[in-house]
Amino acid sequence: MRTGIKLVACISAGWCACGASGQVLSFTNVTDAAGATFTHTRSPRYGFMAAGGVAADFNNDGYIDLFVLGGPQRRDAMFINNGVDAEGNFSFTDEADQWGLPAPHHGFGASAADFNNDGYIDLFVTSYGPGTQQASAGHHKLYRNNGPDANGNWSFTDIAAASGCNVLVPGLADGTGSAWGDYDLDGDLDLFVACYHRAAYGNRLYRNDGPDGFGGLELTDVTTGVGLRVLMSGLVPGFADMNGDHYPEMLMAADSGSSKYFVNNGNGTFTNRTTDAQDLSTANGMGSAVGDLNSDGLLDWYVSSSFYDFLGGPGNVLMIQNPDGTFTNIAPGTPVLDGGWGWGVLMVDLDHDRLVDLVETNGFEGIWGNEQSYLYLNRGNLVFEECALAVGFVHMGEGRGLVNADFDNDGDEDMVIFATGEPLAIYRNNLLTPGQPVPPGANWLRMEFDTRARASLSPHGMHTRIWLITGDHRELVIVDGGFSHASQGELGCHAGLGDVDVVDYIRIEWTDKTFTTLGNVAANQILHIVAPFNPADYDGSGTLDFADVQQFLAGYMARSMTSDHNGDWHLDFYDLLMFLRDFSR
């Protein structure tokens, strides 16, 4: 069996359970122990492709919760995180009733965002209607998070019909993955919904124009006008600023060789640059993730596909970005090429060695249904070694959605697999333990962003680029919403720091082309970063006064990059001029 061969290779190499600095990486399936026993049911409509959910802090208590789609015979679950007990274990309670989730329905996928910037995370769900009826059009759901009532109870209200995003194509039961992003950088989050039926031209980009005054959200379909009306069997859309100009590109993993790469022109339109992404058009694109795999400051792109033994491919596409903005596929000749029938994928530093790892779940009934999910540890220089089974990340089912989240707030990233017609699987990362010292070489940071004080910035700092600088080492992480197949991982961003216990500087590139630089930041914390209402508000007081001038000048005189106001990595007269400009506004 293909799985057995790979397991033997990992064990004989003698490295799989350890990270580069000696820290031990292992996972434990804690689904039942965490109270999240849940089995998905398949819909006749695209059912073999569906199964997903969202990891997000829906009730603002500081712990990440888990929304799970149930399918036509199982009500969706809202697993609220109970926090960590005395033994360091996390658990969930299903509060679907309190949140007002409907009876079972033909759900496909979900995504989350604070679309009205009120501080509460909202939810979008693609659905084809009640489970007691045949699949039909007009049933997608846009859940507005109402926040807590007078009794502390939280709930959703479905405003999809009022907002005009409940149907993609009249009469067609379609809609797969979805994603939120601020494509026009106006400070609110726009919605892209993928449609699988390519000839229907059903993929939709809805521009967020704010509340409509009647309880809905004013969403305008701008798909055709912005250059996104092309043939795609859409599955996984995602917004990410790939070229560093702050405007997010549209990345679409789509089936049957119809994946696309659209570069944002910065004027409200996109240009199809699929030919710049080598071999993207060969993929049966099922999963999508971005990150900086080779620490060169350029974002790379991982798209899962299907691998046929008798063809020797086509397999997954792992595209490394070149300085000119093109991408080179390095998957051929590496273990990453053959991931079975791939679905959800992740890029995340699981062992905290400052190198982003790759994860993929897969399976297809009767063909790849019993093959393992894969975990490719990044060994540097674009060398990846597979070790899923050896570290306890064992899943042999039909995985579809795959997300990461730190459910116990211990600093390492746990993972969830949503399987079609099969049980949910939650894997606790044992690298770190709540309340225990961090082992040598396993330092970390998690960053969460509050941008409500500045209207020009999108909620939760979406599309913010963050540089972590220690000595000569620079590490780039981004806030991209965590898009995945039919699913979405935690908002914010996570970084492994290896043996670094103090980060010299954290440089935050906001999407309005201003900067905030933090100095001497201690590792091993969840860093809550509040964007100042004005870039010159250096003390974060919410007002501009002499205290801001003092703090700016203190950093400037000390030659600290915290006063590099224009973000060019030099302290000079231009920083003073830019500070005075912002201070006078």
Side-chain angles (χ1 to χ4, degrees):
M1 187 172 72
R2 295 166 63 193
T3 302
I5 293 172
K6 291 186 179 182
L7 176 59
V8 170
C10 286
I11 292 177
S12 64
W15 52 264
C16 281
C18 296
S21 300
Q23 65 273 25
V24 176
L25 178 66
S26 69
F27 292 86
T28 301
N29 187 326
V30 297
T31 314
D32 295 340
T37 303
F38 187 92
T39 300
H40 176 265
T41 61
R42 282 189 176 185
S43 169
R45 180 65 170 172
Y46 299 149
F48 76 96
M49 295 192 293
V54 170
D57 183 5
F58 288 103
N59 63 353
N60 285 5
D61 67 350
Y63 285 94
I64 296 174
D65 311 302
L66 189 63
F67 169 80
V68 186
L69 288 167
Q73 300 173 48
R74 181 72 184 261
R75 186 183 189 180
D76 298 344
M78 176 56 83
F79 286 118
I80 297 300
N81 194 328
N82 301 318
V84 178
D85 63 19
E87 286 73 40
N89 300 311
F90 60 87
S91 64
F92 300 95
T93 298
D94 187 0
E95 296 185 2
D97 280 330
Q98 177 179 308
W99 285 80
L101 296 181
H105 64 105
H106 297 274
F108 187 99
S111 61
D114 180 5
F115 60 63
N116 54 4
N117 205 17
D118 63 355
Y120 306 132
I121 296 178
D122 312 295
L123 189 64
F124 181 81
V125 176
T126 44
S127 175
Y128 317 135
T132 56
Q133 303 174 13
Q134 290 186 344
S136 58
H139 299 285
H140 300 324
K141 306 175 189 305
L142 182 61
Y143 291 121
R144 183 187 64 222
N145 187 334
N146 300 316
D149 63 17
N151 297 315
N153 296 317
W154 294 69
S155 64
F156 286 127
T157 298
D158 182 7
I159 62 171
S163 303
C165 61
N166 59 313
V167 59
L168 301 181
V169 180
L172 178 64
D174 213 315
T176 50
S178 58
W180 296 86
D182 188 5
Y183 86 95
D184 50 3
L185 296 190
D186 64 350
D188 55 28
L189 293 172
D190 312 296
L191 174 64
F192 194 101
V193 186
C195 176
Y196 189 75
H197 192 295
R198 75 161 74 185
Y201 288 95
N203 295 282
R204 294 283 183 265
L205 174 60
Y206 297 103
R207 187 184 65 217
N208 184 346
D209 292 326
D212 64 1
F214 301 97
L217 190 67
E218 189 171 342
L219 295 175
T220 303
D221 181 359
V222 297
T223 314
T224 299
V226 302
L228 294 177
R229 189 179 186 273
V230 298
L231 288 171
M232 293 184 287
S233 292
L235 279 172
V236 187
F239 290 98
D241 174 17
M242 302 298 287
N243 58 15
D245 68 351
H246 303 286
Y247 287 91
E249 277 60 61
M250 163 49 59
L251 287 63
M252 174 66 83
D255 203 1
S256 304
S258 64
S259 296
K260 295 288 188 293
Y261 176 52
F262 297 96
V263 171
N264 193 326
N265 298 318
N267 61 1
T269 67
F270 294 84
T271 297
N272 187 343
R273 298 282 292 272
T274 304
T275 55
D276 287 349
Q278 184 184 26
D279 296 334
L280 178 61
S281 61
T282 69
N284 297 313
M286 306 295 180
S288 181
V290 298
D292 184 3
L293 288 170
N294 54 352
S295 303
D296 65 351
L298 300 173
L299 293 177
D300 311 305
W301 187 13
Y302 178 29
V303 175
S304 65
S305 184
S306 49
F307 186 92
Y308 302 97
D309 287 327
F310 61 92
L311 292 177
N316 298 328
V317 181
L318 183 58
M319 293 168 285
I320 303 302
Q321 187 171 178
N322 303 308
D324 64 357
T326 63
F327 296 83
T328 300
N329 178 25
I330 67 163
T334 75
V336 178
L337 178 68
D338 180 4
W341 194 290
W343 297 92
V345 295
L346 294 175
M347 284 193 190
V348 57
D349 185 357
L350 294 170
D351 58 358
H352 294 183
D353 63 353
R354 308 193 81 174
L355 296 170
V356 179
D357 308 303
L358 303 174
V359 191
E360 175 182 339
T361 189
N362 70 76
F364 188 25
E365 184 177 20
I367 303 177
W368 281 269
N370 294 319
E371 185 167 354
Q372 68 171 91
S373 290
Y374 295 104
L375 193 163
Y376 304 101
L377 279 180
N378 187 341
R379 293 304 184 185
N381 298 315
L382 299 176
V383 174
F384 299 90
E385 296 181 279
E386 204 293 314
C387 67
L389 303 185
V391 300
F393 182 60
V394 180
H395 191 271
M396 302 289 183
E398 292 202 53
R400 295 298 182 265
L402 173 66
V403 300
N404 62 288
D406 182 5
F407 290 114
D408 48 8
N409 284 349
D410 65 350
D412 56 26
E413 292 293 298
D414 311 302
M415 294 189 288
V416 181
I417 293 178
F418 306 93
T420 180
E422 295 178 351
L424 178 75
I426 302 175
Y427 296 88
R428 184 185 63 212
N429 188 336
N430 301 316
L431 182 70
L432 306 175
T433 302
Q436 298 299 313
V438 174
N443 293 319
W444 59 277
L445 270 178
R446 199 172 101 207
M447 289 159 282
E448 299 177 347
F449 296 87
D450 183 345
T451 57
R452 285 174 290 172
R454 201 187 311 177
S456 60
L457 303 179
S458 56
H460 288 97
M462 190 73 81
H463 314 310
T464 300
R465 296 164 67 90
I466 304 99
W467 294 90
L468 292 87
I469 297 95
T470 304
D472 294 331
H473 185 90
R474 296 190 179 191
E475 184 174 351
L476 173 65
V477 292
I478 62 169
V479 182
D480 65 6
F483 52 88
S484 182
H485 181 90
S487 310
Q488 181 180 308
E490 64 184 9
L491 295 169
C493 57
H494 163 272
L497 295 178
D499 59 3
V500 173
D501 55 12
V502 176
V503 180
D504 293 344
Y505 294 107
I506 295 179
R507 165 64 54 83
I508 301 160
E509 294 186 20
W510 304 110
T511 53
D512 63 359
K513 300 184 180 180
T514 63
F515 303 86
T516 297
T517 304
L518 309 176
N520 296 320
V521 179
N524 306 322
Q525 62 170 315
I526 301 174
L527 196 60
H528 299 280
I529 300 171
V530 179
F533 84 101
N534 181 301
D537 182 17
Y538 268 63
D539 65 355
S541 65
T543 60
L544 295 179
D545 52 30
F546 187 64
D548 300 303
V549 177
Q550 284 183 309
Q551 188 160 329
F552 169 77
L553 289 176
Y556 188 86
M557 298 303 293
R559 311 309 295 166
S560 169
M561 285 298 140
T562 57
S563 293
D564 176 22
H565 197 76
N566 65 357
D568 65 356
W569 293 107
H570 296 284
L571 287 174
D572 51 32
F573 185 65
Y574 295 103
D575 296 302
L576 180 59
L577 289 178
M578 292 288 285
F579 173 80
L580 291 174
R581 182 203 65 178
D582 290 332
F583 187 83
S584 63
R585 289 181 176 180

